[in-house]
Amino acid sequence: MGPLQVPIHPYVAEAAGLAFWHPEMRYRWYDNLWTFEEYITRYLAYDRSW
């Protein structure tokens, strides 16, 4: 899928009935693997330290 994966919001995943999705799913962001919560926390804080 490449070096970037945009996380799926938990409400969207549940509403869409995504069978493969689970709350602790990790998404690739270059060399990092983050949960939705980790990703969104960094995004909102404009964290560029990764």
Side-chain angles (χ1 to χ4, degrees), residues 7-11 13-14 18-27 34-39:
I8 302 168
H9 190 284
Y11 291 149
E14 286 182 29
L18 301 179
F20 65 88
W21 183 87
H22 57 86
E24 293 303 312
M25 191 167 182
R26 295 198 166 268
Y27 301 88
W34 293 335
T35 63
F36 174 81
E37 185 176 330
E38 292 167 334
Y39 172 87

